[in-house]
Amino acid sequence: MVQINEKDLAHSLNQVSRKITNLLNDHLKEYGIYASQYQLLVNINRYNNSTSKELAAKLNVNPAATSRTLKSIEQQGLITRKQTSDRRAYQIAITNKGHDLLLKLSERDTAIFQKFFAPLTPNERTALLEILTKLF
């Protein structure tokens, strides 16, 4: 059996992640947003009325980076932030403009990801998802 070097495995996963991010960034350029902003917008839609801290935890990203990204997409009119009773936290909600953008991008994303994962058989895709899910 071939011995797998964990550093090589980690490097390969990182390269695949970068490739997906670059594909998304190219695709999103015409809409004036980046992959990180889009990913956050998708998850704001998924976890409506979450706080910035909750979103950061769900996405496993730095809260400060999340806050910067939220400011950017709020300035574009894609989300709103409402202060909670805590006064230090804000509930984040997607706007109609943000929802419309997600609808526009959904079909294109499907095509991009179908093409990206085309070299894998359906069984390989299932196995890959199961394996990756174990890591997060």
Side-chain angles (χ1 to χ4, degrees):
M1 184 170 184
V2 175
Q3 187 74 349
I4 300 295
N5 179 327
E6 285 79 7
K7 288 180 184 178
D8 290 341
L9 185 58
H11 175 73
S12 293
L13 284 170
N14 188 38
Q15 290 302 101
V16 169
S17 177
R18 285 177 186 256
K19 189 170 185 179
I20 290 170
T21 298
N22 289 338
L23 280 171
L24 278 174
N25 279 333
D26 288 346
H27 159 68
L28 295 168
K29 231 179 248 183
E30 70 181 273
Y31 297 96
I33 64 171
Y34 296 102
S36 58
Q37 295 168 321
Y38 177 57
Q39 188 65 30
L40 188 55
L41 192 60
V42 165
N43 283 285
I44 291 167
N45 190 52
R46 182 178 293 145
Y47 306 113
N48 198 32
N49 290 318
S50 292
T51 65
S52 174
K53 186 177 180 180
E54 291 167 342
L55 287 167
K58 288 175 184 183
L59 297 173
N60 196 30
V61 295
N62 181 301
T66 301
S67 182
R68 286 190 300 272
T69 304
L70 286 170
K71 283 180 187 176
S72 175
I73 60 177
E74 181 181 29
Q75 289 171 348
Q76 294 176 48
L78 302 174
I79 62 162
T80 60
R81 295 194 289 176
K82 296 177 187 167
Q83 197 165 35
T84 65
S85 58
D86 182 339
R87 291 195 180 242
R88 294 174 292 173
Y90 293 87
Q91 285 184 314
I92 315 297
I94 193 164
T95 63
N96 288 338
K97 182 179 177 181
H99 187 69
D100 291 346
L101 179 61
L102 286 178
L103 288 175
K104 262 189 226 179
L105 295 173
S106 180
E107 270 186 44
R108 292 180 75 180
D109 278 1
T110 300
I112 287 170
F113 293 135
Q114 283 176 343
K115 184 177 178 182
F116 182 80
F117 290 107
L120 302 178
T121 67
N123 287 341
E124 288 171 329
R125 291 176 193 193
T126 300
L128 178 61
L129 183 57
E130 289 172 359
I131 291 166
L132 292 174
T133 302
K134 287 182 178 183
L135 297 176
F136 65 86

Coordinates of all heavy atoms in Angstrom, one line a residue, residues 39-130:
Q39 N -20.0 33.8 -0.5 CA -20.2 32.7 0.4 C -20.9 33.2 1.7 O -21.8 32.5 2.2 CB -18.8 32.0 0.8 CG -18.9 30.8 1.6 CD -19.6 29.6 0.9 OE1 -19.5 29.5 -0.3 NE2 -20.2 28.8 1.6
L40 N -20.5 34.3 2.1 CA -21.2 34.9 3.3 C -22.7 35.2 3.0 O -23.5 34.9 3.8 CB -20.5 36.1 3.8 CG -20.9 36.7 5.1 CD1 -20.8 35.7 6.2 CD2 -20.0 37.9 5.5
L41 N -22.9 35.7 1.8 CA -24.3 36.0 1.4 C -25.2 34.8 1.4 O -26.3 34.7 1.8 CB -24.3 36.8 0.1 CG -25.6 37.4 -0.4 CD1 -26.0 38.5 0.6 CD2 -25.4 38.0 -1.7
V42 N -24.6 33.7 0.8 CA -25.3 32.4 0.7 C -25.7 32.0 2.2 O -26.8 31.5 2.4 CB -24.5 31.4 0.0 CG1 -25.0 29.9 0.3 CG2 -24.4 31.7 -1.5
N43 N -24.7 32.1 3.1 CA -25.0 31.6 4.4 C -25.9 32.6 5.2 O -26.6 32.1 6.1 CB -23.7 31.3 5.1 CG -23.1 30.0 4.6 OD1 -23.6 29.0 5.0 ND2 -22.1 30.1 3.7
I44 N -25.9 33.8 4.9 CA -26.8 34.7 5.6 C -28.2 34.3 5.1 O -29.2 34.3 6.0 CB -26.5 36.2 5.2 CG1 -25.2 36.7 5.8 CG2 -27.7 37.1 5.6 CD1 -24.7 38.0 5.3
N45 N -28.4 34.0 3.9 CA -29.7 33.5 3.4 C -30.1 32.2 4.1 O -31.2 32.0 4.5 CB -29.6 33.3 1.9 CG -31.0 33.1 1.3 OD1 -31.9 33.8 1.5 ND2 -31.1 32.0 0.5
R46 N -29.1 31.3 4.3 CA -29.4 30.0 4.9 C -29.7 30.2 6.4 O -30.6 29.5 6.9 CB -28.1 29.2 4.7 CG -28.3 27.8 5.3 CD -27.1 26.9 5.1 NE -27.0 26.6 3.6 CZ -25.8 26.5 3.0 NH1 -24.7 26.6 3.6 NH2 -25.8 26.3 1.7
Y47 N -29.0 31.1 7.1 CA -29.1 31.2 8.5 C -29.6 32.6 8.8 O -29.0 33.4 9.5 CB -27.8 31.0 9.2 CG -27.1 29.7 8.9 CD1 -25.9 29.7 8.2 CD2 -27.7 28.5 9.4 CE1 -25.3 28.4 8.0 CE2 -27.1 27.3 9.1 CZ -25.9 27.3 8.4 OH -25.3 26.1 8.1
N48 N -30.8 33.0 8.3 CA -31.3 34.3 8.4 C -31.4 34.8 9.8 O -31.8 34.0 10.7 CB -32.7 34.3 7.7 CG -33.2 35.7 7.4 OD1 -32.4 36.6 7.1 ND2 -34.5 35.9 7.4
N49 N -31.1 36.0 10.0 CA -31.2 36.7 11.3 C -30.1 36.2 12.3 O -30.3 36.4 13.5 CB -32.6 36.7 11.9 CG -33.5 37.5 11.1 OD1 -33.2 38.7 10.8 ND2 -34.7 37.0 10.9
S50 N -29.1 35.6 11.8 CA -27.9 35.2 12.7 C -27.1 36.5 13.0 O -27.2 37.5 12.3 CB -27.0 34.2 12.0 OG -27.7 33.0 11.8
T51 N -26.3 36.4 14.0 CA -25.4 37.5 14.3 C -24.1 37.3 13.5 O -23.8 36.2 13.1 CB -25.1 37.6 15.8 OG1 -24.4 36.4 16.2 CG2 -26.4 37.8 16.6
S52 N -23.3 38.3 13.5 CA -22.0 38.2 12.9 C -21.1 37.1 13.5 O -20.5 36.3 12.8 CB -21.3 39.6 13.0 OG -20.0 39.5 12.5
K53 N -21.2 37.1 14.8 CA -20.4 36.1 15.6 C -20.9 34.6 15.2 O -20.1 33.7 15.0 CB -20.5 36.3 17.1 CG -19.7 35.5 17.9 CD -19.8 35.8 19.4 CE -19.0 35.0 20.3 NZ -19.1 35.3 21.7
E54 N -22.2 34.5 15.1 CA -22.8 33.2 14.8 C -22.4 32.7 13.4 O -22.0 31.6 13.2 CB -24.3 33.2 14.9 CG -24.8 33.3 16.4 CD -26.3 33.6 16.4 OE1 -26.9 34.1 15.4 OE2 -26.8 33.4 17.5
L55 N -22.4 33.7 12.5 CA -22.0 33.4 11.1 C -20.6 33.0 11.0 O -20.2 32.0 10.3 CB -22.3 34.6 10.2 CG -23.8 34.8 9.8 CD1 -24.0 36.2 9.2 CD2 -24.3 33.8 8.9
A56 N -19.7 33.7 11.7 CA -18.3 33.4 11.7 C -18.0 32.0 12.2 O -17.2 31.3 11.7 CB -17.5 34.5 12.5
A57 N -18.7 31.7 13.3 CA -18.6 30.3 13.9 C -19.1 29.2 12.9 O -18.4 28.2 12.7 CB -19.3 30.2 15.2
K58 N -20.2 29.5 12.3 CA -20.7 28.5 11.3 C -19.8 28.3 10.1 O -19.7 27.2 9.5 CB -22.1 28.9 10.9 CG -23.2 28.7 12.0 CD -24.5 29.2 11.6 CE -25.4 29.0 12.8 NZ -26.7 29.3 12.7
L59 N -19.1 29.4 9.7 CA -18.3 29.3 8.5 C -16.8 29.0 8.9 O -16.0 28.9 8.0 CB -18.4 30.6 7.7 CG -19.8 30.9 7.2 CD1 -19.8 32.3 6.6 CD2 -20.2 29.9 6.2
N60 N -16.5 29.0 10.2 CA -15.2 28.7 10.6 C -14.2 29.7 10.1 O -13.1 29.4 9.5 CB -14.7 27.3 10.2 CG -13.5 26.8 11.0 OD1 -13.3 27.2 12.1 ND2 -12.7 26.0 10.4
V61 N -14.6 31.0 10.2 CA -13.8 32.1 9.8 C -13.6 33.1 10.9 O -14.4 33.1 11.9 CB -14.3 32.8 8.5 CG1 -14.3 31.9 7.3 CG2 -15.7 33.4 8.8
N62 N -12.6 34.0 10.8 CA -12.3 35.0 11.8 C -13.4 36.0 11.9 O -13.9 36.5 10.9 CB -11.0 35.7 11.4 CG -10.5 36.7 12.3 OD1 -11.3 37.7 12.5 ND2 -9.3 36.5 12.8
P63 N -13.9 36.3 13.1 CA -15.0 37.2 13.3 C -14.7 38.6 12.7 O -15.5 39.3 12.2 CB -15.2 37.3 14.8 CG -14.7 36.0 15.3 CD -13.6 35.6 14.4
A64 N -13.4 39.1 12.8 CA -13.0 40.4 12.3 C -13.2 40.4 10.8 O -13.6 41.4 10.2 CB -11.6 40.7 12.7
A65 N -12.7 39.3 10.1 CA -12.9 39.2 8.7 C -14.3 39.2 8.3 O -14.7 39.8 7.3 CB -12.2 38.0 8.2
T66 N -15.1 38.5 9.0 CA -16.6 38.4 8.8 C -17.2 39.8 8.9 O -18.0 40.2 8.0 CB -17.3 37.5 9.8 OG1 -16.7 36.2 9.6 CG2 -18.8 37.4 9.5
S67 N -16.8 40.6 9.9 CA -17.3 41.9 10.1 C -16.9 42.8 8.9 O -17.8 43.6 8.4 CB -16.7 42.5 11.4 OG -17.3 43.8 11.6
R68 N -15.7 42.7 8.4 CA -15.3 43.5 7.2 C -16.1 43.2 6.0 O -16.5 44.0 5.3 CB -13.8 43.4 7.0 CG -12.9 44.0 8.0 CD -11.4 44.0 7.5 NE -10.9 42.7 7.3 CZ -10.3 42.0 8.3 NH1 -10.2 42.4 9.5 NH2 -9.9 40.7 8.0
T69 N -16.3 41.9 5.8 CA -17.0 41.4 4.6 C -18.5 41.9 4.7 O -19.1 42.3 3.7 CB -16.9 39.9 4.5 OG1 -15.5 39.6 4.4 CG2 -17.6 39.4 3.2
L70 N -19.1 41.8 5.9 CA -20.4 42.2 6.1 C -20.6 43.7 5.8 O -21.6 44.1 5.2 CB -20.9 42.0 7.6 CG -21.2 40.5 7.9 CD1 -21.4 40.4 9.5 CD2 -22.4 40.0 7.2
K71 N -19.7 44.5 6.2 CA -19.7 46.0 5.9 C -19.8 46.2 4.4 O -20.5 47.0 3.9 CB -18.5 46.7 6.6 CG -18.7 46.9 8.0 CD -17.5 47.7 8.6 CE -17.6 47.7 10.1 NZ -16.4 48.3 10.7
S72 N -18.9 45.5 3.7 CA -18.8 45.6 2.3 C -20.1 45.2 1.6 O -20.6 46.0 0.7 CB -17.7 44.7 1.8 OG -17.7 44.8 0.4
I73 N -20.7 44.1 2.0 CA -22.0 43.7 1.3 C -23.2 44.5 1.8 O -24.2 44.7 1.0 CB -22.2 42.2 1.3 CG1 -22.3 41.6 2.7 CG2 -21.2 41.4 0.5 CD1 -22.7 40.2 2.8
E74 N -23.1 45.1 3.0 CA -24.1 46.0 3.4 C -24.1 47.3 2.6 O -25.1 47.8 2.2 CB -23.9 46.3 4.9 CG -25.0 47.2 5.5 CD -24.8 47.5 6.9 OE1 -23.7 47.6 7.4 OE2 -25.9 47.8 7.6
Q75 N -22.9 47.8 2.3 CA -22.8 49.0 1.5 C -23.3 48.8 0.1 O -23.8 49.7 -0.5 CB -21.3 49.4 1.5 CG -20.8 50.0 2.8 CD -19.3 50.2 2.8 OE1 -18.6 49.8 1.9 NE2 -18.8 50.9 3.8
Q76 N -23.3 47.6 -0.4 CA -23.8 47.2 -1.7 C -25.3 47.0 -1.7 O -26.0 46.8 -2.7 CB -23.1 46.0 -2.3 CG -21.7 46.2 -2.5 CD -21.0 44.9 -3.0 OE1 -21.5 44.2 -3.9 NE2 -19.9 44.6 -2.4
G77 N -25.9 47.1 -0.5 CA -27.4 46.9 -0.3 C -27.8 45.5 -0.4 O -29.0 45.2 -0.6
L78 N -26.9 44.5 -0.1 CA -27.3 43.1 -0.2 C -27.8 42.5 1.1 O -28.4 41.5 1.1 CB -26.1 42.3 -0.7 CG -25.5 42.7 -2.1 CD1 -24.3 42.0 -2.4 CD2 -26.6 42.6 -3.2
I79 N -27.5 43.2 2.2 CA -27.9 42.8 3.5 C -28.3 44.0 4.4 O -28.0 45.1 4.0 CB -26.8 42.0 4.3 CG1 -25.6 42.9 4.6 CG2 -26.4 40.7 3.6 CD1 -24.6 42.4 5.6
T80 N -29.0 43.7 5.5 CA -29.2 44.7 6.5 C -28.7 44.2 7.8 O -28.7 43.0 8.0 CB -30.7 45.1 6.6 OG1 -31.4 43.9 7.0 CG2 -31.3 45.7 5.3
R81 N -28.4 45.1 8.7 CA -28.0 44.7 10.1 C -28.9 45.5 11.1 O -29.0 46.7 11.0 CB -26.5 45.1 10.3 CG -25.6 44.3 9.5 CD -24.2 44.3 9.9 NE -23.6 45.6 9.7 CZ -22.3 45.9 10.1 NH1 -21.6 45.1 10.7 NH2 -21.8 47.1 9.8
K82 N -29.5 44.7 12.0 CA -30.4 45.3 13.0 C -29.8 45.0 14.4 O -29.5 43.8 14.7 CB -31.8 44.7 12.9 CG -32.5 45.0 11.6 CD -33.8 44.4 11.5 CE -34.4 44.6 10.1 NZ -35.6 43.7 9.9
Q83 N -29.7 46.0 15.2 CA -29.1 45.8 16.5 C -30.1 45.0 17.3 O -31.3 45.1 17.3 CB -28.9 47.2 17.2 CG -28.0 47.2 18.3 CD -27.6 48.5 18.7 OE1 -28.3 49.5 18.7 NE2 -26.3 48.7 19.2
T84 N -29.5 44.1 18.1 CA -30.2 43.2 19.0 C -30.3 43.9 20.4 O -29.7 45.0 20.6 CB -29.5 41.8 19.2 OG1 -28.3 42.0 19.8 CG2 -29.3 41.2 17.8
S85 N -31.0 43.2 21.3 CA -31.1 43.8 22.7 C -29.7 43.8 23.3 O -29.5 44.6 24.3 CB -32.0 43.0 23.5 OG -31.6 41.6 23.5
D86 N -28.7 43.1 22.8 CA -27.4 43.0 23.4 C -26.6 44.3 23.1 O -25.7 44.7 23.8 CB -26.6 41.8 22.7 CG -25.2 41.7 23.3 OD1 -24.7 42.6 23.8 OD2 -24.7 40.5 23.1
R87 N -27.0 45.1 22.1 CA -26.3 46.3 21.6 C -24.9 46.1 21.1 O -24.4 47.0 20.5 CB -26.3 47.4 22.8 CG -27.7 47.9 23.1 CD -27.6 49.1 23.9 NE -28.9 49.6 24.2 CZ -29.4 50.8 23.8 NH1 -28.6 51.6 23.1 NH2 -30.6 51.2 24.1
R88 N -24.3 45.0 21.3 CA -23.0 44.7 20.8 C -23.1 43.8 19.5 O -22.2 43.6 18.8 CB -22.1 44.0 21.8 CG -21.7 44.9 23.0 CD -21.0 44.1 24.0 NE -21.9 43.1 24.6 CZ -21.5 42.1 25.4 NH1 -20.3 42.0 25.7 NH2 -22.4 41.3 25.9
A89 N -24.3 43.3 19.4 CA -24.6 42.3 18.3 C -25.6 42.8 17.3 O -26.5 43.6 17.7 CB -25.0 41.0 18.9
Y90 N -25.5 42.4 16.1 CA -26.5 42.7 15.1 C -27.0 41.5 14.4 O -26.3 40.6 14.2 CB -25.8 43.6 14.0 CG -25.4 45.0 14.5 CD1 -24.2 45.2 15.1 CD2 -26.3 46.1 14.3 CE1 -23.8 46.4 15.5 CE2 -25.9 47.3 14.8 CZ -24.7 47.5 15.3 OH -24.3 48.7 15.8
Q91 N -28.3 41.5 14.2 CA -28.9 40.4 13.4 C -28.7 40.8 11.9 O -29.0 41.9 11.5 CB -30.4 40.2 13.7 CG -30.6 39.5 15.0 CD -32.1 39.3 15.2 OE1 -32.9 40.1 15.0 NE2 -32.4 38.0 15.7
I92 N -28.3 39.8 11.1 CA -28.0 40.0 9.7 C -29.1 39.4 8.9 O -29.4 38.2 9.1 CB -26.6 39.4 9.3 CG1 -25.5 39.7 10.3 CG2 -26.3 39.8 7.9 CD1 -25.2 41.1 10.5
A93 N -29.7 40.1 8.0 CA -30.7 39.6 7.1 C -30.4 40.0 5.7 O -29.8 41.1 5.4 CB -32.1 40.2 7.5
I94 N -30.8 39.2 4.8 CA -30.6 39.4 3.3 C -31.7 40.4 2.8 O -32.8 40.3 3.3 CB -30.5 38.1 2.5 CG1 -30.0 38.3 1.1 CG2 -31.8 37.4 2.5 CD1 -29.6 37.1 0.4
T95 N -31.3 41.3 1.9 CA -32.3 42.2 1.4 C -32.9 41.6 0.1 O -32.4 40.5 -0.4 CB -31.7 43.5 1.0 OG1 -30.7 43.3 0.0 CG2 -31.0 44.2 2.2
N96 N -33.9 42.2 -0.5 CA -34.5 41.7 -1.7 C -33.4 41.8 -2.8 O -33.3 40.9 -3.6 CB -35.7 42.6 -2.1 CG -36.9 42.3 -1.3 OD1 -37.0 41.3 -0.7 ND2 -37.8 43.3 -1.2
K97 N -32.6 42.8 -2.8 CA -31.5 42.9 -3.8 C -30.5 41.7 -3.6 O -30.1 41.1 -4.6 CB -30.8 44.2 -3.6 CG -29.6 44.4 -4.6 CD -29.0 45.8 -4.4 CE -27.8 46.0 -5.4 NZ -27.1 47.3 -5.2
G98 N -30.2 41.4 -2.4 CA -29.3 40.3 -2.2 C -29.9 38.9 -2.6 O -29.3 38.1 -3.2
H99 N -31.2 38.8 -2.3 CA -31.9 37.6 -2.7 C -32.0 37.4 -4.2 O -31.7 36.3 -4.7 CB -33.3 37.6 -2.1 CG -34.0 36.3 -2.2 ND1 -33.7 35.1 -1.6 CD2 -35.1 36.0 -3.0 CE1 -34.5 34.2 -2.0 NE2 -35.4 34.7 -2.8
D100 N -32.3 38.5 -4.9 CA -32.3 38.5 -6.3 C -30.9 38.1 -6.9 O -30.9 37.4 -7.9 CB -32.7 39.9 -6.9 CG -34.2 40.2 -6.6 OD1 -34.9 39.3 -6.2 OD2 -34.6 41.4 -6.7
L101 N -29.9 38.6 -6.3 CA -28.5 38.3 -6.8 C -28.3 36.8 -6.6 O -27.7 36.1 -7.5 CB -27.5 39.1 -6.1 CG -26.0 38.8 -6.5 CD1 -25.8 39.1 -7.9 CD2 -25.1 39.6 -5.6
L102 N -28.6 36.3 -5.5 CA -28.4 34.8 -5.2 C -29.2 34.0 -6.2 O -28.7 33.0 -6.7 CB -28.9 34.5 -3.8 CG -28.0 34.9 -2.7 CD1 -28.5 34.5 -1.3 CD2 -26.6 34.3 -2.9
L103 N -30.4 34.4 -6.6 CA -31.2 33.7 -7.6 C -30.5 33.7 -8.9 O -30.4 32.7 -9.6 CB -32.6 34.2 -7.7 CG -33.6 34.0 -6.5 CD1 -34.9 34.7 -6.7 CD2 -33.8 32.5 -6.4
K104 N -30.0 34.8 -9.3 CA -29.3 35.0 -10.6 C -28.0 34.1 -10.6 O -27.7 33.4 -11.6 CB -28.8 36.4 -10.8 CG -29.6 37.3 -11.6 CD -28.9 38.6 -11.8 CE -29.8 39.7 -11.6 NZ -29.2 41.0 -11.8
L105 N -27.3 34.0 -9.5 CA -26.1 33.3 -9.5 C -26.2 31.8 -9.3 O -25.3 31.0 -9.6 CB -25.2 33.8 -8.4 CG -24.7 35.3 -8.6 CD1 -24.0 35.8 -7.4 CD2 -23.9 35.4 -9.8
S106 N -27.4 31.4 -8.8 CA -27.6 29.9 -8.5 C -27.4 29.0 -9.7 O -26.7 28.0 -9.6 CB -28.9 29.7 -7.9 OG -29.1 28.4 -7.6
E107 N -28.0 29.4 -10.8 CA -27.9 28.5 -12.0 C -26.5 28.5 -12.5 O -26.0 27.4 -12.9 CB -28.9 29.0 -13.1 CG -30.2 28.4 -13.0 CD -31.1 28.8 -14.2 OE1 -30.6 28.8 -15.4 OE2 -32.3 29.2 -14.0
R108 N -25.8 29.6 -12.5 CA -24.5 29.7 -13.0 C -23.5 28.9 -12.2 O -22.6 28.2 -12.6 CB -24.0 31.2 -13.1 CG -24.8 31.9 -14.2 CD -24.4 33.3 -14.3 NE -23.1 33.4 -15.0 CZ -22.4 34.5 -15.2 NH1 -22.9 35.7 -14.8 NH2 -21.2 34.5 -15.8
D109 N -23.8 28.9 -10.9 CA -22.9 28.2 -9.9 C -23.1 26.7 -10.2 O -22.1 25.9 -10.2 CB -23.4 28.4 -8.5 CG -22.8 29.6 -7.9 OD1 -22.1 30.3 -8.6 OD2 -23.1 29.9 -6.7
T110 N -24.3 26.2 -10.4 CA -24.5 24.8 -10.7 C -23.7 24.4 -11.9 O -23.0 23.4 -11.9 CB -26.0 24.6 -10.9 OG1 -26.7 24.9 -9.8 CG2 -26.3 23.1 -11.3
A111 N -23.7 25.2 -13.0 CA -23.0 24.9 -14.2 C -21.5 24.8 -13.9 O -20.8 23.9 -14.4 CB -23.3 25.8 -15.3
I112 N -21.0 25.8 -13.2 CA -19.5 25.9 -12.9 C -19.1 24.7 -12.1 O -18.1 24.0 -12.4 CB -19.2 27.2 -12.1 CG1 -19.3 28.4 -13.0 CG2 -17.8 27.1 -11.4 CD1 -19.3 29.7 -12.2
F113 N -19.9 24.3 -11.1 CA -19.5 23.2 -10.2 C -19.7 21.8 -10.9 O -18.9 20.9 -10.7 CB -20.2 23.2 -8.9 CG -19.8 24.4 -8.0 CD1 -20.7 25.2 -7.4 CD2 -18.5 24.7 -7.9 CE1 -20.3 26.3 -6.6 CE2 -18.1 25.8 -7.1 CZ -19.0 26.6 -6.5
Q114 N -20.7 21.7 -11.8 CA -20.8 20.5 -12.5 C -19.6 20.3 -13.4 O -19.1 19.2 -13.5 CB -22.1 20.5 -13.4 CG -23.4 20.3 -12.6 CD -24.6 20.4 -13.4 OE1 -24.6 21.0 -14.5 NE2 -25.7 19.9 -12.9
K115 N -19.2 21.3 -14.1 CA -18.0 21.2 -14.9 C -16.7 20.9 -14.1 O -15.9 20.1 -14.5 CB -17.8 22.6 -15.7 CG -16.7 22.5 -16.7 CD -16.6 23.8 -17.4 CE -15.4 23.8 -18.4 NZ -15.3 25.1 -19.1
F116 N -16.6 21.6 -13.0 CA -15.4 21.4 -12.1 C -15.3 19.9 -11.6 O -14.2 19.3 -11.6 CB -15.5 22.3 -10.9 CG -14.3 22.2 -10.0 CD1 -13.1 22.8 -10.3 CD2 -14.3 21.4 -8.8 CE1 -11.9 22.7 -9.5 CE2 -13.2 21.3 -8.0 CZ -12.0 21.9 -8.4
F117 N -16.5 19.3 -11.2 CA -16.5 18.0 -10.7 C -16.7 16.9 -11.7 O -16.8 15.7 -11.4 CB -17.5 17.9 -9.5 CG -17.0 18.6 -8.3 CD1 -17.7 19.8 -7.9 CD2 -16.0 18.2 -7.5 CE1 -17.3 20.5 -6.8 CE2 -15.6 18.8 -6.4 CZ -16.2 20.0 -6.0
A118 N -16.8 17.3 -13.0 CA -17.1 16.3 -14.1 C -16.1 15.2 -14.1 O -16.5 14.0 -14.5 CB -17.2 17.1 -15.4
P119 N -14.8 15.3 -13.8 CA -13.9 14.2 -13.9 C -14.2 13.1 -12.9 O -13.7 12.0 -13.0 CB -12.5 14.8 -13.6 CG -12.7 16.2 -13.9 CD -14.1 16.6 -13.6
L120 N -15.0 13.4 -11.9 CA -15.4 12.4 -10.9 C -16.7 11.7 -11.2 O -17.6 12.3 -11.7 CB -15.5 13.1 -9.5 CG -14.3 13.8 -8.9 CD1 -14.7 14.5 -7.6 CD2 -13.1 12.9 -8.8
T121 N -16.7 10.4 -10.9 CA -18.0 9.6 -11.1 C -18.9 10.0 -10.0 O -18.5 10.6 -9.0 CB -17.7 8.1 -11.0 OG1 -17.3 7.8 -9.7 CG2 -16.7 7.7 -12.1
P122 N -20.2 9.7 -10.1 CA -21.2 10.0 -9.0 C -20.7 9.3 -7.7 O -20.9 9.9 -6.7 CB -22.5 9.5 -9.6 CG -22.4 9.6 -11.0 CD -20.9 9.3 -11.4
N123 N -20.2 8.1 -7.8 CA -19.8 7.4 -6.6 C -18.6 8.1 -6.0 O -18.5 8.2 -4.7 CB -19.5 6.0 -6.9 CG -20.7 5.1 -7.1 OD1 -21.8 5.5 -6.7 ND2 -20.5 4.0 -7.7
E124 N -17.7 8.6 -6.8 CA -16.5 9.3 -6.3 C -16.9 10.6 -5.6 O -16.4 11.0 -4.6 CB -15.5 9.6 -7.4 CG -14.8 8.4 -7.9 CD -13.9 8.6 -9.1 OE1 -14.3 9.4 -10.0 OE2 -12.9 7.9 -9.3
R125 N -17.9 11.3 -6.2 CA -18.4 12.6 -5.6 C -19.0 12.3 -4.2 O -18.7 13.1 -3.3 CB -19.4 13.2 -6.5 CG -18.9 13.7 -7.8 CD -20.0 14.3 -8.7 NE -19.5 14.5 -10.0 CZ -20.2 15.2 -10.9 NH1 -21.4 15.7 -10.6 NH2 -19.7 15.3 -12.1
T126 N -19.8 11.3 -4.1 CA -20.4 10.9 -2.9 C -19.3 10.6 -1.8 O -19.4 11.0 -0.7 CB -21.3 9.7 -3.0 OG1 -22.4 10.0 -4.0 CG2 -21.9 9.3 -1.7
A127 N -18.3 9.8 -2.2 CA -17.2 9.4 -1.3 C -16.4 10.6 -0.9 O -16.1 10.8 0.3 CB -16.3 8.4 -2.0
L128 N -16.2 11.5 -1.8 CA -15.4 12.7 -1.5 C -16.2 13.6 -0.5 O -15.6 14.1 0.5 CB -15.1 13.6 -2.8 CG -14.4 14.9 -2.6 CD1 -13.0 14.7 -2.0 CD2 -14.3 15.6 -3.9
L129 N -17.5 13.8 -0.7 CA -18.3 14.5 0.2 C -18.3 13.9 1.6 O -18.1 14.6 2.6 CB -19.7 14.7 -0.3 CG -20.6 15.5 0.6 CD1 -20.1 16.9 0.8 CD2 -22.0 15.6 0.0
E130 N -18.4 12.6 1.7 CA -18.4 11.9 3.0 C -17.0 12.1 3.7 O -17.0 12.3 4.9 CB -18.7 10.4 2.8 CG -20.1 10.1 2.4 CD -20.4 8.7 2.0 OE1 -19.4 7.9 2.0 OE2 -21.6 8.4 1.7

